Amino acid sequence: MTLPQHSPEQAAFAGLLRVVSDFLGHDVAPEWRSAAEAAPRHRFLPDRIWLSGDDEALTACDRGREPERWFAAAYSDVPVVTQLNDGKEPEDSSDAVPSSSASAPSIVFRMLELLDLAPGMRVLEVGAGTGFNAALLSHRLGDVNVTTVEIDPVLAEQARANLKATGYAPAVVCGDGSLGWTPEAPYDRVMATCSVQRVPQAWISQTRQGGAVLTPWETPWICGGLLRLTVGDDGSASGRFTADSAFMLMRTQRRDLRLFRDVVMDDHVPAESTTALDPWTVADSSFGTQFALGLRLGDLWYAWHHDPDVEGVETRLWVATTGGDSWAAVDWDGTRDTARYTVWQHGPRRLWEEVEAAHRWWLENGRPGPERFGLTVTPDGQWVWLDEPRAGSGFAARPALQETDRCD
């Protein structure tokens, strides 16, 4: 009896599907399995990638020098960084910032499931990246029904070449994905592969009534979550959040804000007070806690400063606005079972008081997790709601980014 022979690629693919199925809680749907077989993930990765180690530091992996490591990454359920610093690799590795990646396959298939596609549907993808998602969509729906937009011209060309090499030819557009792509609108589905802090109105207006917008989400406080909106007949859209993996922020919504360059100045004279709220309770807690606080706090972000070279301070938590006009610092002196922490605040807003109020609100409402929150978008604005989008259930947290803002 002769046993069937399997190539390393086939074995790796089968192993990856098992991992993805475990993540999903069921087998990968046949239509997506056949799409992944026709568009192998490794064919969409560049020869040079960056991988995270146990210490989360990125290290380069070149296919020519480390073919086994490169191939293992291609068929592991992990995100693979494919570009650093918008294509300009830094001289110092400590300055390396991922700017494009191939998402973990489990998240890819999770999002494809959430799209709830049917034959004949038209899809706009925002963020072509390597082209892998567009290939899976094209296999399922046909090239003519898929448009993918990529802001980076080098990545757009690479995605187009990868797609052509695997036999697919969806429309690949180099442009600002936050504007959608009007020539092919309206779409049945709009899917983003980058996170947003504010849903672009163009995505709603370019989606058919009853269609859906699916996007990763983040706030300045924490990155993570998915948002699925259904578009109504009045130009609005509404839907719920789920807790899922983090994505890179859309380039046009970035802010390059640094504490000691843009926020904390030598001439600031902060007000001193104390707090009983443990800073780790709000800034080093579970994802669900920080997700809720991020929605409530809107335009606030934080950074830890360990061993800040300040007498009597072991650790300092900084909180600031995305506009840089206000900041707060909470100090821990290293004492066990600290009852109160020193607080410093500067600017027109008292940020730590806002954090304390948001935390009280979260406790009073039963410690809600991501699934209890939703978002409604209208031509006039957008707001978060708790449990149901009914009158009195929503709150208009200060937006991290105004609709008219543009950040390079």
Side-chain angles (χ1 to χ4, degrees):
M1 177 179 177
T2 302
L3 296 176
Q5 298 298 308
H6 297 284
S7 69
E9 179 183 318
Q10 289 173 316
F13 177 72
L16 178 58
L17 280 186
R18 285 193 295 271
V19 173
V20 172
S21 296
D22 288 343
F23 173 85
L24 298 175
H26 55 78
D27 289 343
V28 175
E31 59 270 24
W32 294 123
R33 181 188 180 103
S34 64
E37 287 176 335
R41 189 182 188 224
H42 75 276
R43 296 190 185 179
F44 291 84
L45 296 182
D47 289 341
R48 183 174 173 82
I49 58 178
W50 290 265
L51 304 174
S52 255
D54 293 337
D55 59 356
E56 297 187 357
L58 289 172
T59 58
C61 175
D62 289 291
R63 186 178 188 177
R65 288 199 289 266
E66 301 179 279
E68 293 182 358
R69 183 179 177 223
W70 184 94
F71 187 79
Y75 286 97
S76 296
D77 189 29
V78 295
V80 173
V81 175
T82 56
Q83 186 194 68
L84 297 177
N85 298 57
D86 298 339
K88 301 174 182 177
E89 287 190 47
E91 295 181 5
D92 189 337
S93 60
S94 64
D95 294 328
V97 178
S99 52
S100 188
S101 68
S103 300
S106 57
I107 298 301
V108 170
F109 287 101
R110 165 74 170 148
M111 292 182 69
L112 291 173
E113 281 192 349
L114 287 173
L115 283 180
D116 191 22
L117 296 174
M121 283 188 172
R122 296 173 57 78
V123 176
L124 171 67
E125 179 195 31
V126 177
T130 66
F132 181 58
N133 270 21
L136 300 177
L137 290 167
S138 296
H139 186 89
R140 175 79 188 278
L141 302 172
D143 294 337
V144 70
N145 290 320
V146 178
T147 300
T148 183
V149 181
E150 173 58 57
I151 195 169
D152 188 307
V154 173
L155 294 180
E157 184 55 38
Q158 289 176 345
R160 190 177 290 111
N162 290 341
L163 286 160
K164 182 179 180 181
T166 48
Y168 298 103
V172 180
V173 178
C174 183
D176 181 354
S178 69
L179 303 178
W181 184 245
T182 305
E184 299 295 332
Y187 304 96
D188 297 284
R189 301 286 187 268
V190 172
M191 171 190 185
T193 62
C194 53
S195 64
V196 297
Q197 296 181 349
R198 188 173 180 85
V199 178
Q201 185 61 42
W203 296 359
I204 309 301
S205 62
Q206 292 177 26
T207 302
R208 298 181 191 275
Q209 176 185 339
V213 173
L214 178 65
T215 180
W217 178 264
E218 72 172 79
T219 63
W221 196 263
I222 190 169
C223 179
L226 280 178
L227 173 65
R228 191 183 193 278
L229 301 169
T230 300
V231 177
D233 58 3
D234 59 353
S236 69
S238 190
R240 293 184 178 276
F241 294 99
T242 58
D244 275 291
S245 183
F247 283 71
M248 295 173 192
L249 184 63
M250 177 180 283
R251 293 192 187 186
T252 53
Q253 293 192 7
R254 291 179 187 166
R255 285 189 183 277
D256 181 21
L257 198 65
R258 301 181 188 178
L259 277 169
F260 303 111
R261 183 192 70 185
D262 305 310
V263 179
V264 183
M265 303 300 174
D266 291 339
D267 61 349
H268 287 175
V269 182
E272 182 180 0
S273 60
T274 64
T275 182
L277 180 60
D278 182 336
W280 284 271
T281 298
V282 295
D284 194 24
S285 50
S286 69
F287 171 77
T289 302
Q290 293 197 65
F291 184 86
L293 292 176
L295 291 176
R296 189 73 181 181
L297 292 169
D299 63 340
L300 302 192
W301 59 285
Y302 73 84
W304 288 102
H305 193 173
H306 301 291
D307 299 321
D309 196 23
V310 176
E311 185 177 354
V313 179
E314 183 79 17
T315 300
R316 172 171 284 174
L317 173 67
W318 291 97
V319 178
T321 61
T322 54
D325 61 342
S326 298
W327 59 262
V330 184
D331 290 343
W332 176 56
D333 61 7
T335 304
R336 289 181 177 274
D337 302 319
T338 302
R340 299 197 70 81
Y341 303 83
T342 302
V343 179
W344 307 93
Q345 298 185 90
H346 176 80
R349 292 163 58 184
R350 290 296 179 254
L351 300 191
W352 191 249
E353 294 171 18
E354 293 184 22
V355 172
E356 290 177 319
H359 187 255
R360 284 195 303 272
W361 178 91
W362 178 71
L363 292 174
E364 291 166 357
N365 283 276
R367 305 170 184 250
E371 293 79 4
R372 287 183 60 190
F373 289 99
L375 185 82
T376 294
V377 182
T378 73
D380 299 321
Q382 47 195 270
W383 62 90
V384 175
W385 40 265
L386 179 66
D387 294 329
E388 297 293 340
R390 60 181 183 275
S393 70
F395 57 87
R398 292 181 179 88
L401 191 78
Q402 298 292 343
E403 193 73 44
T404 55
D405 284 350
R406 272 290 178 270
C407 309
D408 298 324

